[in-house]
Amino acid sequence: MAVRRIRVVEEKDLDQILIWRNHPDIRRYMFTRQKISWMEHSAWFTSLQGDPTRHALLYEDNGLPLGVVMLTCRQGNALAEWGFYKDPGAAKGTGVNMGRLALSYAFDTLRLHRVYGKVIADNLASIELHRKLGFVQEGVLRDHFGSNDHFDSVLCFGLLDSEWTSQRELTA
Ligand SMILES: CC(C)(COP(=O)(O)OP(=O)(O)OC[C@H]1O[C@@H](n2cnc3c(N)ncnc32)[C@H](O)[C@@H]1OP(=O)(O)O)[C@@H](O)C(=O)NCCC(=O)NCCS
């Protein structure tokens, strides 16, 4: 039986995470698209230490690291914006499994009231993933990301703790 878990990112995970983060299939859907240097990556990890508002989580399946989820808390740690990516070579279904565990961490462990995410409109996998996880589409920011020659709209998704609980009761 597959043992899937989510845990806090450790220093030993950093090499693997940087390889994923700089992969073209990941970068093309990020709001920051330039390649990240080891120095920047390492400074990011250092800045997380002792910061109770930012949670970097690693998703593992049978001990194999398969993705990263970031929760950035706001409003006295009641809300968090999330972001995530999987190992670009990981199987279909990885996103949903990782997302469920990350949301359980957000609502059951951190006791958040709301998790929200922003998705660039051509990111069909992420849009479908949010819907599968029970997120409600709350708005569209038209032509919100890009530069003079090309703009993309950005979709806003949100999920409340009550929705998470009732969704879990339905599937239990
Ligand atoms: C977003 C991401 C985590 C999804 O992971 P995944 O393993 O492909 O997702 P899953 O297979 O678990 O589920 C996604 C659903 O979307 C569907 N989907 C995947 N790609 C799709 C596409 N191009 N068009 C439409 N639907 C798509 C899947 O079929 C699946 O639905 P199904 O179970 O009914 O078949 C992954 O694609 C990724 O890391 N992308 C790059 C980084 C990124 O976009 N991060 C999010 C930024 S907001």
Side-chain angles (χ1 to χ4, degrees), residues 63-172:
L64 188 68
L66 287 181
V68 175
V69 179
M70 192 68 203
L71 293 167
T72 306
C73 297
R74 308 222 156 85
Q75 308 268 338
N77 292 346
L79 322 179
E81 179 166 2
W82 81 335
F84 48 83
Y85 46 89
K86 69 174 193 179
D87 173 344
K92 196 169 142 34
T94 301
V96 167
N97 290 329
M98 172 170 78
R100 286 213 176 98
L101 284 173
L103 291 173
S104 172
Y105 189 91
F107 290 117
D108 305 331
T109 304
L110 300 178
R111 315 292 297 174
L112 297 179
H113 172 57
R114 165 179 159 82
V115 174
Y116 62 99
K118 296 201 192 89
V119 185
I120 298 167
D122 68 349
N123 191 350
L124 301 181
S126 182
I127 291 168
E128 193 53 34
L129 177 82
H130 279 86
R131 294 198 172 126
K132 288 197 90 156
L133 291 171
F135 280 78
V136 174
Q137 188 183 319
E138 298 171 331
V140 179
L141 305 172
R142 296 172 305 144
D143 281 4
H144 190 69
F145 179 69
S147 60
N148 288 340
D149 54 348
H150 180 81
F151 286 98
D152 280 307
S153 296
V154 172
L155 276 55
C156 305
F157 288 94
L159 180 68
L160 304 181
D161 51 356
S162 55
E163 293 163 343
W164 168 251
T165 305
S166 53
Q167 181 192 145
R168 211 176 26 186
E169 280 163 6
L170 281 176
T171 54

